[in-house]
Amino acid sequence: MIRAVAWCRAEDCGAVLADRPPVFQAAPRNHAETIALIQRPVKYIGRMTDECRVCLCAAHLALRAVEWNDAREIGLLAAGDAGFLQANQNYFRDYVANGRSMGRGNLFIYTLPTSTLGEVAIALNLTGPAMHLHDDTQPLAALVQHADQFIADGEADGMLVLWSDLHAAVCLAIDGAGAQSSAIQMPKGSTPKQMAHDLAAMARPA
Amino acid sequence: MNVVIAAGDVASAYGWGLDALWTGLFSGKTPICSTSRFVDRGFVSDLMALVPDLQTDGDESRSMAMLRRLLSPLAGKLDPLTPLILATTVGEIEYVERSVLNDARELAESARPLVLLEKIKHLLALRGPALFLSSACASSSATLTRAASMIHHEQAQSVLVVTCDAVSEFVYSGFSTLLSLCDGPARPFDAARSGLTLGEGAAWALLASDQSPLTKGWKTAIAGWGNTTDAVHMTAPHRQASGLTRAITKACAMANCTPQDIAFIAAHGTATVFSDAMELLALRATMDRPKPIFSIKGGTGHTLAAAGLMQILVAARALSLGVVPPTVGLCAADPAAAGWVHTMPIELTTGRAALSTNSGFGGVNTAVILSGRQPA
């Protein structure tokens, strides 16, 4: 069951919940504002990619919306290849430009599809399963189905599902509570950017 | 219902096929050798474990060349609607290299994993759902757990898992930068280990329910699994091994097996100082007594995403034949590994299950329990 959907993009961020008013606020404009939003120290925020930062903010907002605490085993699933494809090019271009004998470790570590998940897990202390999982036709719906299976298998108490591109991220908080609990429908949108736009329109105060 | 390995195969530095890998490990010799591929780059090492006789077709990537030859015997033999999951960390990364070196940005698009996924579907004439999964160096073992879960939940009757990663300048330069490479062939769990050797490989496995006609005569089941994250560091393992320990505990609980049931362990065993130490801590915390451990990376090198499935296919054969391969590259065991790792094959006398473990960047951990078929 989807309990909350959060988003973060250049303009704004927030969350839509099943049984409470939505959250809407301006997006953090720099590292200090990002840390203020996350409300806990975030190591190495300066080296993170833009995609990593919007994912971190969206994941934090989703967690805050559902009020899951650290005692729960929370997992992470993610889809979207724009971030690591950009990171791959950034790393190799820098390596070639600097003589093709040594790369930069701080660029190399973001070249994996799971790099963003690793940073989000560290920053938010999420210790459940973490995988990048991209369905070739319906990325978000497939992630939700797999998230449900992780919970049913006992691998996690709850799952955060991230869908992102370079500058926008959407995060769904999913748990295994019964249908009697409040849930929200899968948001519409063919890209993370479009979905974030729609969520902002839904949550923005009149 | 059991989810079982109906079939599988592998390409490694030992050659084409599981037989070549199995025989190579028992020979005790390593195919890791010096190459001139990245000569004059100033990397820490020039050693790697390359798949032999790999012919690339035109501008084809090494990953696709491995998969084309390895998967060709399957073409037309699978139900076209069989779900496919591809596990890789960098896939066809050569296209990123070429796009930068030739200043041709459009080439980078060809490196998208979904492009490789589509090529595999085309090669095998598959029309069903297809996924790309990455979980760093635990990718293919994590993929196996996803496939097993899909079958358990009756989302599919069978799932084809495919994995590959090739040695590339991109990856080699990165690991050289991180000072993870050793200047001799990798020596997993050795007292004098000093780093990993990069290798390349590809593998596939067809998983299915034991009710399926595909699995007549099956020998190995995926009995349980656990996936966790350390949440402490992007590249270093958890010093107390808490993430891997939890993964093993979860896997044993799902498989309803006790430490006494575990006959041996197929370890990640990269041969880096801290990763092997962390793995030993987790095994000591979860097992009742020393169990035979093997790592294939002294022979195959570290094949990144492919490592997990490759070692699982070896473990499945070891469980079936009742003998554990030696750890190639091991000379003198780390004191913490004494009594666990061996330079010679070990005949199994007890235990009905095997444990396979993998960990990777981002703090990911996967544990898988394999069980053998019980006599009727």
Side-chain angles (χ1 to χ4, degrees):
Chain A
M1 306 292 280
I2 303 171
R3 301 297 170 197
V5 184
W7 84 92
C8 183
R9 58 179 182 155
E11 302 91 328
D12 46 47
C13 60
V16 175
L17 297 90
D19 49 5
R20 274 175 286 161
V23 175
F24 182 92
Q25 62 190 89
R29 291 166 300 178
N30 50 45
H31 302 335
E33 289 185 6
T34 302
I35 290 170
L37 173 74
I38 304 297
Q39 297 173 344
R40 60 170 94 193
V42 181
K43 265 187 176 178
Y44 310 123
I45 194 162
R47 75 178 184 193
M48 288 182 191
T49 60
D50 284 350
E51 187 215 18
C52 197
R53 277 189 289 269
V54 291
C55 282
L56 177 56
C57 292
H60 165 75
L61 289 165
L63 270 184
R64 195 168 71 184
V66 291
E67 298 176 338
W68 293 343
N69 59 35
D70 281 357
R72 282 183 165 217
E73 184 98 324
I74 308 300
L76 276 166
L77 294 178
D81 57 15
F84 67 85
L85 288 175
Q86 180 73 55
N88 287 345
Q89 292 176 66
N90 291 346
Y91 166 74
F92 203 70
R93 194 172 292 125
D94 177 80
Y95 160 77
V96 171
N98 286 287
R100 216 171 162 184
S101 62
M102 182 175 269
R104 285 183 212 266
N106 62 331
L107 296 180
F108 183 65
I109 61 169
Y110 289 104
T111 60
L112 285 173
T114 41
S115 299
T116 292
L117 295 181
E119 289 286 23
V120 173
I122 293 166
L124 303 180
N125 192 31
L126 306 177
T127 57
M131 294 177 199
H132 182 98
L133 222 168
H134 200 124
D135 182 280
D136 64 344
T137 55
Q138 41 178 355
L140 194 57
L143 285 185
V144 171
Q145 187 171 24
H146 283 278
D148 286 338
Q149 290 174 359
F150 273 107
I151 294 164
D153 290 341
E155 285 212 73
D157 299 316
M159 295 292 294
L160 295 183
V161 163
L162 280 161
W163 193 29
S164 60
D165 56 28
L166 287 180
H167 305 294
V170 172
C171 183
L172 282 60
I174 296 172
D175 70 13
Q180 70 278 10
S181 302
S182 302
I184 57 179
Q185 295 296 308
M186 171 93 82
K188 302 273 188 280
S190 57
T191 64
K193 188 178 175 184
Q194 179 65 46
M195 194 175 284
H197 173 85
D198 293 349
L199 288 164
M202 195 186 308
R204 185 180 291 117
Chain B
M1 175 183 66
N2 290 306
V3 176
V4 307
I5 301 174
D9 207 357
V10 59
S12 73
Y14 282 113
W16 294 85
L18 184 56
D19 287 344
L21 174 54
W22 181 261
T23 307
L25 293 172
F26 278 80
S27 76
K29 295 176 181 164
T30 182
I32 291 170
C33 60
S34 293
T35 79
S36 57
R37 268 189 77 187
F38 309 131
V39 70
D40 297 335
R41 292 278 172 264
F43 295 153
V44 173
S45 163
D46 61 358
L47 295 168
M48 53 192 83
L50 298 176
V51 171
D53 307 321
L54 183 64
Q55 308 291 329
T56 53
D57 186 7
D59 66 349
E60 187 178 50
S61 68
R62 288 183 72 84
S63 282
M64 190 59 214
M66 283 190 285
L67 292 177
R68 183 168 45 79
R69 178 164 166 186
L70 186 68
L71 297 176
S72 288
L74 281 179
K77 293 186 179 160
L78 298 171
D79 178 342
L81 297 179
T82 304
L84 164 69
I85 314 182
L86 166 67
T88 183
T89 60
V90 291
E92 298 185 286
I93 197 70
E94 290 103 312
Y95 293 118
V96 170
E97 296 177 352
R98 291 172 198 167
S99 92
V100 171
L101 293 171
N102 302 322
D103 199 18
R105 285 176 183 264
E106 69 283 359
L107 266 181
E109 280 295 302
S110 303
R112 296 180 69 210
L114 293 183
V115 175
L116 179 57
L117 193 63
E118 200 55 41
K119 289 178 188 172
I120 298 168
K121 286 178 77 172
H122 181 73
L123 177 69
L124 298 177
L126 294 177
R127 291 182 280 110
L131 295 166
F132 155 61
L133 191 153
S134 196
S135 189
C137 297
S139 291
S140 60
S141 49
T143 298
L144 212 67
T145 71
R146 277 292 77 225
S149 181
M150 288 167 69
I151 295 167
H152 263 296
H153 290 281
E154 299 181 349
Q155 186 185 342
Q157 292 181 328
S158 62
V159 178
L160 178 66
V161 171
V162 172
T163 184
C164 62
D165 262 325
V167 172
S168 62
E169 184 174 354
F170 182 102
V171 170
Y172 210 92
S173 62
F175 277 90
S176 180
T177 296
L178 297 179
L179 301 177
S180 302
L181 304 176
C182 56
D183 55 7
R187 297 166 68 175
F189 300 114
D190 196 279
R193 69 185 182 277
S194 60
L196 59 84
T197 303
L198 282 171
E200 62 189 7
W204 64 269
L206 182 66
L207 266 57
S209 150
D210 62 356
Q211 319 290 315
S212 162
L214 291 170
T215 58
K216 195 175 175 189
W218 68 271
K219 292 176 179 166
T220 310
I222 310 293
W225 60 86
N227 293 284
T228 63
T229 309
D230 291 343
V232 292
H233 198 276
M234 284 295 282
T235 55
H238 192 290
R239 291 298 178 97
Q240 283 77 47
S242 71
L244 184 57
T245 301
R246 282 186 295 110
I248 294 170
T249 304
K250 281 184 183 184
C252 287
M254 187 188 287
N256 194 26
C257 82
T258 65
Q260 289 85 350
D261 296 324
I262 305 292
F264 67 93
I265 296 142
H268 194 49
T270 61
T272 62
V273 172
F274 292 119
S275 179
D276 284 9
M278 181 278 290
E279 199 166 10
L280 288 166
L281 269 180
L283 294 173
R284 286 175 168 276
T286 51
M287 296 294 119
D288 58 321
R289 58 186 168 77
K291 312 276 182 173
I293 293 177
F294 74 90
S295 162
I296 64 173
K297 292 183 179 66
T300 63
H302 190 351
T303 56
L304 307 179
L309 183 54
M310 288 169 72
Q311 76 189 44
I312 282 172
L313 291 175
V314 172
R317 181 172 285 192
L319 195 58
S320 167
L321 298 179
V323 58
V324 180
T327 292
V328 175
L330 178 69
C331 295
D334 183 309
W340 298 72
V341 289
H342 304 275
T343 57
M344 301 296 287
I346 300 292
E347 300 280 340
L348 295 173
T349 53
T350 60
R352 62 178 177 86
L355 166 67
S356 180
T357 55
N358 294 102
S359 300
F361 281 3
V364 295
N365 306 282
T366 297
V368 176
I369 303 284
L370 306 175
S371 65
R373 187 172 200 162
Q374 300 303 303

